[in-house]
Amino acid sequence: TLSTIFDSQFIFKLTTDSQINLIKHRPNLFNTNPSENLSSEINTMPALKKTPSLRIRKSGDRGHANHGWLNSYHTFSFAHYHDEDHESFGSLRVINEDKVAGGGGFPKHPHSNYEIFSYVLKGKMEHRDSLGNCEVLTRGDVQFTSAGTGIQHSEFNSDDREELYFLQIWVKPNQKGLKPNYQTLKFSDESKTNKLLKIISPKSEEKKEK
């Protein structure tokens, strides 16, 4: 069956085989009657043998932490926020909506055996990692880090005045001990406005499409 998570303006659709299927953006999803939007979204889903199982969680029900330099909302248990009813969803482990004050950021820290995605919505994010990558990402950029056997990275707001606003997403891979990898892709506003756009899928699905 197909399950859907509505988080802020984003739709996360995952199959029950614990692999992420689609992460898509619908900027006008909540601009009108919520019940009408939900019905519309259900009607646009592909035909399934079983009735889709939907679970809606309001933005205000998420975990929240404000550290001054970082204002973060957690969809699932994270850091000091714990909710046994919202630990993860299939392979999806973290969706953090982060706002970082000018000059603030996350110092170098390690990760392993996670697929980590950063979706920049506003501002400038400076990324550095132990693979030698160093770049500044802006609105529309999506950063893909496959931590694999181990990687260290840092993420800072490279602007001293403007706020950095991004989504931090972690997914458990279906295989451990992968070779660490990093890449970025850019998606224009036009490619996402009033339409669904696939930006992430398992490699097995990419091969089938080719």
Side-chain angles (χ1 to χ4, degrees), residues 67-155:
H67 303 284
W69 64 273
L70 170 66
N71 188 16
S72 182
Y73 285 88
H74 313 313
T75 298
F76 305 112
S77 294
F78 190 85
H80 297 295
Y81 166 65
H82 177 72
D83 184 344
E84 61 182 13
D85 293 327
H86 298 93
E87 294 284 355
S88 62
F89 190 89
S91 61
L92 184 60
R93 176 61 186 85
V94 172
I95 309 175
N96 287 349
E97 183 180 357
D98 291 342
K99 294 183 178 180
V100 181
F106 305 89
K108 183 180 288 187
H109 56 282
H111 289 284
S112 63
N113 292 315
Y114 264 105
E115 306 295 292
I116 302 171
F117 314 106
S118 297
Y119 188 162
V120 181
L121 303 172
K122 177 184 177 183
K124 300 177 180 179
M125 174 191 287
E126 180 179 304
H127 169 92
R128 295 177 182 268
D129 63 42
S130 54
L131 298 178
N133 297 297
C134 178
E135 64 177 333
V136 175
L137 298 93
T138 59
R139 178 176 172 80
D141 289 337
V142 181
Q143 168 200 111
F144 304 86
T145 298
S146 181
T149 55
I151 190 172
Q152 295 187 54
H153 72 165
S154 64
E155 294 172 322

Side-chain angles (χ1 to χ4, degrees), residues 145-172:
T145 298
S146 181
T149 55
I151 190 172
Q152 295 187 54
H153 72 165
S154 64
E155 294 172 322
F156 277 87
N157 183 348
S158 63
D159 193 301
D160 291 333
R161 294 173 295 178
E162 185 180 359
E163 182 180 72
L164 167 64
Y165 179 27
F166 72 105
L167 292 179
Q168 181 182 171
I169 304 164
W170 298 9
V171 177
K172 296 178 182 178

Side-chain angles (χ1 to χ4, degrees), residues 5 7-8 10 12 17 27 39 74 79 88 143 154 178 180 195-196:
I5 298 176
D7 184 83
S8 185
F10 294 82
F12 298 86
D17 63 358
S39 298
H74 313 313
S88 62
Q143 168 200 111
S154 64
L178 298 171
K195 67 181 75 173
L196 298 177

Side-chain angles (χ1 to χ4, degrees), residues 28-92:
N28 298 323
L29 182 63
F30 294 104
N31 288 350
T32 57
N33 188 297
S35 62
E36 293 178 357
N37 286 305
L38 179 57
S39 298
S40 175
E41 182 60 28
I42 293 174
N43 290 336
T44 60
M45 289 182 178
L48 301 171
K49 293 182 179 179
K50 297 182 179 180
T51 303
S53 175
L54 301 179
R55 179 173 61 183
I56 299 175
R57 189 178 183 207
K58 295 181 179 180
S59 178
D61 294 337
R62 297 173 297 169
H64 179 232
N66 192 334
H67 303 284
W69 64 273
L70 170 66
N71 188 16
S72 182
Y73 285 88
H74 313 313
T75 298
F76 305 112
S77 294
F78 190 85
H80 297 295
Y81 166 65
H82 177 72
D83 184 344
E84 61 182 13
D85 293 327
H86 298 93
E87 294 284 355
S88 62
F89 190 89
S91 61
L92 184 60

